[in-house]
Amino acid sequence: MNTLKTKQRLPFMLFFITGIIAIIGAWYVFRLIYPRTIKIGILQSLTGKNANEEVPVKDATMLAVEEINAKGGVFGLKIEAIIVDPKSDIQTFGRLAEELITQKKVAVIFGGWSSASRKTIKTVVEKYNNLLFYPVQNEGLEDSLNIVYTSTTPNQQSIPGTTWCLYNIGKRCFIVGIDELFSRASNEIIKDVIALHSGQVVGEAYLSPNNIPDIVQQIVKTQPNVILNTIDGPENLTFFTELRKAGITPEKIPTMSFSLDEPDLQRYGAEYMAGNYSSWSHFQSIERLENKIFVADIKKRYGENVIISDAMEAAYYGVYMWKQAVERAKSFEIDKIRPALKNQAFDAPEGILYVDDSSLHTWSNSSIGKIRLDKQCTIVWNSQKSIRPIIYPFTRTKEEWDALLEKWYHEWGDRWAD
Amino acid sequence: MGRLNKYFFLIPLYIILGSLIAAIIWYAYLSYSLVPQKEKKLWEITLEHEEKINTYLLQQQTNTQTLASDDTTATFLATKSHSKKDDEQYQEFLDTQKQLLGFKNIFLIDNNSTIVFSTIPSVIGKKITENTTEYSALKKSYERAFMALAPDFAYFDYEPLINERALFITTPVVKNKKMVGILAYQFDQEKIYQMINQYIGLGTTGEIVLAQQEDTYALFVAPSRHDPDLAFKKRDLFTKAPISVQASALGGQGTGVATDYRDKKVVGAWTFITKINWGMIVKMDYEEVMEPLTTVSMIIIFLFFVFIIWLLITEYFFHKSIILQLKKLSQTKKFKKIPYLLRNPFFLFFIIATILIIKNIIYYEYTTISTTQKSKAEILDSVDKDVDRIQSILNRISFTTQSLADDLHLQRLSEEDIKNRLNRDIAENTIIQSITIMLTSNAFKKNTLDTVTVYKTSRTDQNMIIEEKYKNEDKLNTIIKSEWFAKTIEKGSYWLKPTKNKNHTNNNNTSSYSLIVRNKQKNIIGLVSLVFKLEPLERIASYNSLNRIGYSILLTQDGTFLFHPIGSLAMEKTFSQFAQESGNKELARLAQEALTGKPLLATYREENTNQLMWLYTKPIPINNWILGTIFPIADITLQSDIIRHSFFWLLAYCIIASLCLCSFFYSTKKLSIFYYILLINAILIIGLVITWRIIQVTSTIDRTKSIIITDQSSLDKFIDDIYEETKRKHEEEPINVPCGLLLYALDIPDPEHVSISGYIWNKYNEKLHKNLSHTILLPQATRMEFGKPTSSITDDWETIIWHIKGIIAQEQNYTAFPFDKQQIKIIIEHQDIQKNIFLTPDLSAYKKLSPESTPGINKEFSLAGFVIEQTFFNYHIIDTSTNFGFKEYGKVTDHFELMYNIVISRNLLNSFVLYFLPLLVILFSLFSTLLVSEHSTNPFRILGPYTGLFFALVILQRSVRETYPTGSTLYIEYAFFYTYLTIILLVLHTILTHYYGKHPDHKYYRNIVFPLIKLAFWPLQLAAWLITTLIVFY
């Protein structure tokens, strides 16, 4: 009787065990094919006037994503990057940010370009309590609980750059810029710094169509010791060409630029710019093992001709900072990630950087490079250690800075000029 | 046995078996969960400490800003000149603040970097950018705060202004919207040390370690529980081993199993302390974390033995029924279907043991190859990185020269521009010594220069542009004929072979790079030449992060040394000449091969040390200079411990396989019991002899805390390291005094002393060693007679020789007796302890330096009962426990002692005759007594010899103990213990035989147990010795 029962039970047992094994196997195969993911948004222009500058930043972000995924992702979840193209249009940055958060349900957004685009995205991420990792140098004067500013504030870029010029070149300065938020705000800060160090602003001018020769003439007339330049984009080429035409060489009156990076030199050529200076936290030529690896990895992935900018580096380590914060918070929730971001450190290509404990700006290095004909820069000064970000320079009160921003906003027709 | 009795035995057996299985499951659970649980706990402790430190730092930053924003501070800094009263008033203000804020010192530095006030009055008026070295962290922090207008935390480093390591916060001070200077606030790092000196939850081995990155090193910044002297020791970063300190010092955070600074396996959690850029590691020894596993494994072993004993007892009582069951089982059809060989457990064990032998051989070979490959790869990688670093320095020179030449070619520079440019280029490139531009009025024609304008600036006369115009002068002809000019014109660009600056020390050697300038018609119109310092390149070569025995060389294209640890070779000799003069043809050939412009990796035998060396050279692409490294192969082979472990396992498996094979042949009746036992004894004896041989070959002395000096290069490298370290710590330059030793006699009168006789000498330089007492010390001497010194003077050097004769204290370790190796260490010190002196071995006085050639020992010398294996000099790293009452004691040189070492191994024949032979005789006597005991009717006749042998054994053991006193058990004593145990068992056997042996009901005892005891006597003795040997020497 017992034997019979055992014989009857055996096929059932076999069937049961095989079934369980089959279910586990199917689940495993399913997970291999469709791994669990966490969505992130990448918001950089792939078309439009800024595409040339923003596409490499998107590539650097993707390199970090790929590296993290290759090492197992975040908490075992692969990162799924949703790339959207705001077409270099300020309003589209805001609209797409909202789409990424509400429709694509991304955990975080990496991107943004001009200060105006950041201001547009800021309203969206604050509204939905999401997080933006912004990789471009900024004018400060803004502190949001929903933006991690991975690049430099003025006291990590334009302030050291200006002070260096005052003490190494001369105290008579001519300031040039363009009529947009970063340039305007940076120039105000620069003027304060010059005054603080008893320097002299011999002239200040903003580019408008066809006024570059006039500005150059002003420079020739005022004969400053140094030109402090916050011009962004292709206008730089016109400006430097005109300077050279007017006989202004770097040996006579050098220019310190705050928005001219190595990819710009690649695009516009370095013939008229060589010998001048540029200030950034990261230069491709920084002599550091981590930087060499980063440069080699970018070139291996995107081609030998890629030139690395400060924004690319900031975009790259921003993804790692977010990963580390998520792992420390053990959550993807913004309110848990935010405290975990404080003091979060990363051995970035430029040096060891960390998020400030009183804001979401990063402690970054500061370097001054001398532009070479080979479109790279030789570092002539480096902070050797990251510098604490100061959001509102102490030369004025926060209220005064806010009032100034509001004034410009109204002057630009209740919008941020781009 | 009745039914009740059966359960009486079986139920406990099942309970024991159940407990054993439960213990095994528990063991498995613990082995997977212990480390993650501990990591979690350590991470919590890490976060707790991180928060404490961050809170403290934030508090200090707030204090700094409070002080800087106070109007008193700003007014003081804004005032251009201060009276004594002003200083006193500000000091009073600080006194009131000090209690509230808790700072250590305050410095007020104006915009010109002059200290206008300090709580240390002696520094007032000093400029922090002058008279300080490049290492000043305060200087750099001042610069950051000044340029970025933000509070800054300086790196924790030695501050020359105040002669101590210090932590500063610097912050800008503003008055009426004008920058008036910087306030530097020194806070107390001891507060942080106190925070980490708490070991709650860290067991007995746990500790917290703090480190920061310094170039390619991790610099420990605080003392630790295991090493109170850990602060300011360095270890290489970027090694491939998973070292937690590396991760944390580079900004990482995490948990895991890692290797710590003691090279111990630890479980740790690490994080990065922002602001001060310190890595913090909270860790515990892996062994302690896994301690519960040891307890469980002991329980498993205990349960296993209880189970076996209970099983045997059960088997004894139910022997018949078990045999019956087994027979039934073997008769079943299923059992018979199993192939015959597989049915035999001995054959199965033989197969398993053979597989394990093969696995071990493969594993050993793999480990040997992979260790060598890994070390080789690390060294190649290190050289490659340094080549990159040198290349980038030379690139900078090349770029600056090229840029000037390009601008001159494009005619973009006016005369004024050239002057500005030269000034700026030299200010921005600290490596450049001078820049020269030569421009001709017309295109350059071969060997003639009509009119030349020369612009020159040099670092010594900065901002002074020398502008000279030459026209057909002799000076021009001299320039034309010079090598650098001619070669530059010929080749277009030229890296000048450096020459030694005879007026200065090595650090001022220079080289130059020159480039022609063409006009738009491509005619040569001049050249640009940059003279640059070689010091940064030499520093890279000397810092090459290898072990202390390996060293680096830097060569020019033609093989001339730019850097060699033997300073006199630099710029003077080529690599090839050096090799030929050493008489090493093999090295001379390699020196030529290195110049072919391709990387070279080769081995050669060092002439002096007879060591097999590895040479790796790699050209620097920009100018074909060559960076190389040389190191002994022996340093990267497997450690002798690992070799011994592998051999022990291999031997154990071989013995098991052989025993199983014999048992298999015996079980298949192919061997008689006599040959079977004989073979087993033979296998065990061979195994024991091989084990002893392995022990002899693989026993080494502990060298972990010493730096062995085997040749001039390794000595020079050590001296360079010492000088570099003293320079880094801003200590006065040390003085090295060469000394030597030659022994004529050595004896070991007792285990705690060694008597020596011979000569010792010191060499003093008339210029370098002024005001030094001409005396030497042997601090271990309990009694030492120094003969009348003999002095001889050659050139500037005076050699003073003493004859010495006396006794020195020497602790010896006899635990491994008679396979012990002793290292006799003779510490040599200079009399002037208070001075910064360190002794160096006078290697030039010895013909051969290889440790195996026993330098420092007279050739006729012999030591009874011992073989002298090696002699060598080394530097022993010491933890100074006292400062001898001198405040400044504890400098870099005070942490090293020069030692002369004699490694001796025991002559086995003596020990064998004295101790093993009597022991074997006792064992033979015991065995003989056992053989005849069966036929004796009177037990006292048997017990008598046993008692006699027992006393003989006691006397023998006492003799061993008295000759070799030690706190622990000597290896040879285990043989005595087994013999004692044998005597006890034999006495027991005699009693049992007397009472039960002849009883008709105890056939089992008489027929099975009696013969078994006789047969197993020697195999058990030998097996016990063998197992003990393997365990003791593992």
Side-chain angles (χ1 to χ4, degrees), chain A residues 155 195-196 250-252 271 277 287 328 343 347 354 357 370 374 379 381-383 385 388, chain B residues 47 50 61 140 143-144 148 153 178-179 250 274-275 277 392 396 399 412 420-421 424-425 428:
Chain A
N155 78 305
L196 193 73
E251 286 72 26
K252 286 191 179 78
E271 195 188 342
Y277 301 92
E287 284 298 333
R328 184 156 179 168
N343 286 320
D347 191 13
Y354 27 90
D357 50 14
K370 189 172 189 175
D374 68 349
I379 314 293
W381 181 82
N382 180 271
S383 62
K385 188 174 176 285
R388 186 189 162 189
Chain B
L47 291 181
E50 185 190 8
Q61 185 186 303
K140 197 67 198 175
E143 203 176 289
R144 276 193 298 270
F153 284 82
K178 293 284 173 204
M179 183 83 173
L250 294 173
T274 56
K275 300 184 186 73
N277 285 22
S392 53
R396 197 173 171 122
F399 278 132
R412 282 172 25 178
N420 286 341
R421 179 68 168 273
R424 213 174 292 151
D425 278 348
E428 289 164 4

Side-chain angles (χ1 to χ4, degrees), chain A residues 54 66 76 85 95 158 163 169 232 243 253 289 299-300 309 319 325-326 330-331 346 353 392 395 403 407:
Chain A
E54 290 190 58
E66 286 165 15
D85 175 15
R95 187 175 53 77
S158 53
T163 314
I169 300 173
D232 183 32
L243 278 180
I253 307 172
L289 182 67
K299 286 180 181 284
K300 191 178 166 192
S309 66
V319 185
V326 167
K330 296 187 173 60
S331 170
F346 184 71
L353 311 175
Y392 294 94
T395 47
K407 182 182 151 242

Side-chain angles (χ1 to χ4, degrees), chain B residues 34 64 67 134 139 380 393 618 682:
Chain B
L34 273 177
T64 314
L67 212 52
E134 57 191 291
K139 181 179 122 186
L380 302 195
I393 291 173
K618 191 176 179 185

Side-chain angles (χ1 to χ4, degrees), chain A residues 69 90 97 124 138 156 161 168 196 288 307 323 353 377 391:
Chain A
N69 279 343
I90 300 305
V124 177
N138 62 82
Q156 296 162 333
N168 289 280
L196 193 73
R288 209 165 173 264
I307 302 291
K323 175 194 177 265
L353 311 175
C377 294
I391 305 161

